[in-house]
Amino acid sequence: MQRAGFILAQLEILLETVDYLSQFAERYNIPFMLDPAPARALPSKLLRRTTWITPNETETQQLLSNPNQDSSGAADELLALGVQNVLLKLGSRGCLIAQPLMPKESIPAFAVEAVDTTAAGDAFNAGFAVGLLRGYSAHRSAVFASAVAGISVTRPGAQPSMPSAEEVEQFLQRQSSSSTA
Protein backbone atom coordinates (compact mmCIF):
# COMPACT_ATOMS: atom_id res chain seq x y z
CA MET A 1 0.00 0.00 0.00
CA GLN A 2 2.98 2.34 0.43
CA ARG A 3 3.17 2.61 -3.36
CA ALA A 4 -0.53 3.39 -3.83
CA GLY A 5 -1.29 6.20 -6.25
CA PHE A 6 -4.29 7.44 -4.25
CA ILE A 7 -6.21 6.60 -1.11
CA LEU A 8 -9.96 7.22 -1.22
CA ALA A 9 -12.04 7.11 1.94
CA GLN A 10 -15.52 8.01 3.12
CA LEU A 11 -17.15 8.27 6.53
CA GLU A 12 -19.10 5.01 6.44
CA ILE A 13 -16.11 3.51 8.24
CA LEU A 14 -14.87 4.45 11.71
CA LEU A 15 -13.48 7.98 11.91
CA GLU A 16 -10.39 6.55 13.62
CA THR A 17 -9.76 4.42 10.53
CA VAL A 18 -10.18 7.42 8.23
CA ASP A 19 -7.79 9.40 10.40
CA TYR A 20 -5.26 6.55 10.32
CA LEU A 21 -5.53 6.36 6.52
CA SER A 22 -4.91 10.10 6.26
CA GLN A 23 -1.83 9.79 8.47
CA PHE A 24 -0.58 6.86 6.40
CA ALA A 25 -1.14 8.86 3.21
CA GLU A 26 0.75 11.82 4.62
CA ARG A 27 3.63 9.65 5.83
CA TYR A 28 4.08 8.00 2.42
CA ASN A 29 3.22 11.07 0.32
CA ILE A 30 0.08 9.48 -1.15
CA PRO A 31 -2.76 11.80 -2.16
CA PHE A 32 -5.76 11.34 0.16
CA MET A 33 -9.30 11.92 -1.10
CA LEU A 34 -12.15 12.14 1.41
CA ASP A 35 -15.82 11.89 0.55
CA PRO A 36 -17.34 13.15 3.82
CA ALA A 37 -20.43 10.96 3.68
CA PRO A 38 -22.29 10.71 5.90
CA ALA A 39 -21.23 14.23 6.89
CA ARG A 40 -20.20 15.10 10.42
CA ALA A 41 -17.75 17.38 12.17
CA LEU A 42 -14.18 16.50 11.26
CA PRO A 43 -10.95 17.08 13.17
CA SER A 44 -8.83 19.91 11.79
CA LYS A 45 -5.77 17.62 11.56
CA LEU A 46 -7.71 15.26 9.29
CA LEU A 47 -8.86 18.14 7.10
CA ARG A 48 -5.29 19.43 6.75
CA ARG A 49 -4.13 15.98 5.60
CA THR A 50 -6.86 15.80 2.97
CA THR A 51 -5.60 16.38 -0.56
CA TRP A 52 -9.12 16.47 -2.04
CA ILE A 53 -12.43 16.70 -0.21
CA THR A 54 -15.45 15.85 -2.37
CA PRO A 55 -18.73 16.56 -0.58
CA ASN A 56 -22.10 16.83 -2.25
CA GLU A 57 -24.28 19.86 -1.48
CA THR A 58 -25.94 18.39 1.61
CA GLU A 59 -22.64 17.22 3.06
CA THR A 60 -21.04 20.58 2.31
CA GLN A 61 -23.68 22.43 4.31
CA GLN A 62 -23.23 20.05 7.26
CA LEU A 63 -19.46 20.64 7.32
CA LEU A 64 -19.64 24.43 7.43
CA SER A 65 -20.13 26.97 10.17
CA ASN A 66 -22.23 29.08 7.77
CA PRO A 67 -24.35 26.54 5.88
CA ASN A 68 -26.31 29.11 3.87
CA GLN A 69 -23.56 30.27 1.55
CA ASP A 70 -23.27 29.60 -2.16
CA SER A 71 -20.95 26.95 -3.61
CA SER A 72 -18.08 29.38 -4.10
CA GLY A 73 -18.25 30.60 -0.51
CA ALA A 74 -18.55 27.04 0.76
CA ALA A 75 -15.45 26.03 -1.19
CA ASP A 76 -13.57 29.01 0.26
CA GLU A 77 -14.55 28.00 3.80
CA LEU A 78 -13.41 24.42 3.25
CA LEU A 79 -10.06 25.68 1.95
CA ALA A 80 -9.80 27.96 5.00
CA LEU A 81 -10.30 24.90 7.22
CA GLY A 82 -7.06 23.52 5.78
CA VAL A 83 -8.22 21.15 3.06
CA GLN A 84 -5.70 21.29 0.22
CA ASN A 85 -8.24 21.13 -2.64
CA VAL A 86 -12.03 21.10 -2.87
CA LEU A 87 -14.29 19.45 -5.41
CA LEU A 88 -17.96 20.12 -4.67
CA LYS A 89 -20.35 17.65 -6.30
CA LEU A 90 -23.44 19.57 -7.42
CA GLY A 91 -25.49 16.74 -8.92
CA SER A 92 -27.08 17.58 -12.24
CA ARG A 93 -25.37 21.00 -12.11
CA GLY A 94 -21.92 19.41 -12.33
CA CYS A 95 -19.13 20.25 -9.92
CA LEU A 96 -16.97 23.10 -8.67
CA ILE A 97 -13.20 22.83 -8.32
CA ALA A 98 -11.47 25.11 -5.82
CA GLN A 99 -7.71 25.14 -5.38
CA PRO A 100 -5.57 27.66 -3.51
CA LEU A 101 -4.35 30.59 -5.62
CA MET A 102 -6.30 29.42 -8.67
CA PRO A 103 -9.63 30.58 -10.08
CA LYS A 104 -12.54 28.29 -9.28
CA GLU A 105 -13.79 26.14 -12.14
CA SER A 106 -17.34 24.97 -12.77
CA ILE A 107 -17.62 21.77 -14.74
CA PRO A 108 -21.10 21.02 -16.13
CA ALA A 109 -22.65 17.59 -15.76
CA PHE A 110 -23.49 15.53 -18.81
CA ALA A 111 -27.19 15.41 -19.66
CA VAL A 112 -28.29 11.80 -19.26
CA GLU A 113 -31.49 9.94 -18.42
CA ALA A 114 -30.93 8.94 -14.78
CA VAL A 115 -32.22 5.55 -13.66
CA ASP A 116 -30.47 5.11 -10.30
CA THR A 117 -28.18 7.63 -8.60
CA THR A 118 -27.09 5.24 -5.82
CA ALA A 119 -23.44 5.08 -6.88
CA ALA A 120 -23.07 8.47 -8.55
CA GLY A 121 -20.81 9.99 -5.87
CA ASP A 122 -18.58 6.93 -5.61
CA ALA A 123 -18.37 6.70 -9.40
CA PHE A 124 -17.45 10.37 -9.59
CA ASN A 125 -14.70 10.07 -6.94
CA ALA A 126 -13.23 6.98 -8.57
CA GLY A 127 -13.26 8.67 -11.97
CA PHE A 128 -11.63 11.80 -10.57
CA ALA A 129 -8.86 9.77 -8.91
CA VAL A 130 -8.29 7.80 -12.13
CA GLY A 131 -8.03 11.02 -14.09
CA LEU A 132 -5.46 12.46 -11.69
CA LEU A 133 -3.52 9.18 -11.74
CA ARG A 134 -3.46 9.39 -15.53
CA GLY A 135 -1.79 12.78 -15.18
CA TYR A 136 -4.83 14.81 -16.20
CA SER A 137 -5.37 18.31 -14.84
CA ALA A 138 -8.04 18.74 -12.15
CA HIS A 139 -10.33 20.16 -14.87
CA ARG A 140 -9.89 17.23 -17.24
CA SER A 141 -10.12 14.76 -14.33
CA ALA A 142 -13.45 16.33 -13.31
CA VAL A 143 -14.76 16.00 -16.87
CA PHE A 144 -13.67 12.34 -16.86
CA ALA A 145 -15.32 11.88 -13.44
CA SER A 146 -18.52 13.50 -14.69
CA ALA A 147 -18.59 11.02 -17.56
CA VAL A 148 -18.08 8.08 -15.17
CA ALA A 149 -20.89 9.33 -12.92
CA GLY A 150 -23.07 10.17 -15.91
CA ILE A 151 -22.82 6.64 -17.22
CA SER A 152 -23.31 5.09 -13.78
CA VAL A 153 -26.66 6.82 -13.18
CA THR A 154 -28.08 5.36 -16.39
CA ARG A 155 -27.84 1.86 -14.89
CA PRO A 156 -29.44 0.27 -11.84
CA GLY A 157 -27.40 -0.77 -8.84
CA ALA A 158 -24.07 0.26 -7.41
CA GLN A 159 -21.27 -2.01 -8.57
CA PRO A 160 -23.07 -3.10 -11.76
CA SER A 161 -23.45 0.55 -12.77
CA MET A 162 -19.70 1.25 -12.87
CA PRO A 163 -18.44 1.72 -16.43
CA SER A 164 -15.16 0.46 -17.83
CA ALA A 165 -12.47 2.93 -18.90
CA GLU A 166 -13.24 2.06 -22.52
CA GLU A 167 -16.93 2.93 -22.03
CA VAL A 168 -15.97 6.27 -20.52
CA GLU A 169 -13.62 7.10 -23.39
CA GLN A 170 -16.32 6.21 -25.93
CA PHE A 171 -18.89 8.30 -24.03
CA LEU A 172 -16.54 11.30 -23.99
CA GLN A 173 -15.84 10.86 -27.68
CA ARG A 174 -19.57 10.81 -28.47
CA GLN A 175 -20.16 13.89 -26.29
CA SER A 176 -17.30 15.72 -28.02
CA SER A 177 -18.62 14.77 -31.47
CA SER A 178 -22.16 15.89 -30.66
CA SER A 179 -20.99 19.23 -29.25
CA THR A 180 -19.04 20.08 -32.41
CA ALA A 181 -21.86 19.01 -34.76
Side-chain angles (χ1 to χ4, degrees):
M1 188 157 140
Q2 295 170 7
R3 296 185 329 203
F6 236 102
I7 295 177
L8 281 71
Q10 36 72 3
L11 299 177
E12 292 173 338
I13 60 177
L14 292 173
L15 187 57
E16 293 81 13
T17 303
V18 173
D19 189 55
Y20 174 81
L21 288 170
S22 72
Q23 290 174 48
F24 183 92
E26 181 180 56
R27 184 177 316 121
Y28 293 102
N29 201 29
I30 301 168
F32 180 72
M33 184 185 299
L34 178 61
D35 185 349
R40 62 178 136 176
L42 296 172
S44 59
K45 286 183 180 181
L46 171 62
L47 291 171
R48 285 192 301 272
R49 289 190 295 263
T50 301
T51 311
W52 286 95
I53 195 164
T54 63
N56 66 25
E57 291 176 284
T58 302
E59 295 152 0
T60 300
Q61 298 309 313
Q62 292 173 338
L63 291 169
L64 303 177
S65 61
N66 177 9
N68 297 319
Q69 53 193 315
D70 65 8
S71 298
S72 180
D76 288 338
E77 185 175 337
L78 287 168
L79 288 171
L81 290 172
V83 174
Q84 296 168 38
N85 302 281
V86 176
L87 194 151
L88 301 181
K89 296 178 287 194
L90 306 173
S92 63
R93 295 189 336 272
C95 66
L96 177 75
I97 300 169
Q99 297 177 277
L101 307 175
M102 295 180 71
K104 292 179 188 75
E105 294 185 76
S106 292
I107 310 295
F110 291 102
V112 296
E113 190 68 36
V115 171
D116 184 352
T117 61
T118 302
D122 293 331
F124 186 94
N125 286 347
F128 189 69
V130 166
L132 292 173
L133 287 168
R134 288 181 169 187
Y136 298 169
S137 66
H139 177 96
R140 186 171 175 200
S141 294
V143 171
F144 187 84
S146 293
V148 173
I151 295 168
S152 79
V153 301
T154 65
R155 302 172 179 171
Q159 282 185 306
S161 72
M162 297 296 160
S164 68
E166 183 177 322
E167 288 175 296
V168 176
E169 296 299 343
Q170 290 171 357
F171 177 87
L172 287 168
Q173 205 167 39
R174 284 192 307 275
Q175 295 296 317
S176 177
S177 297
S178 66
S179 68
T180 58

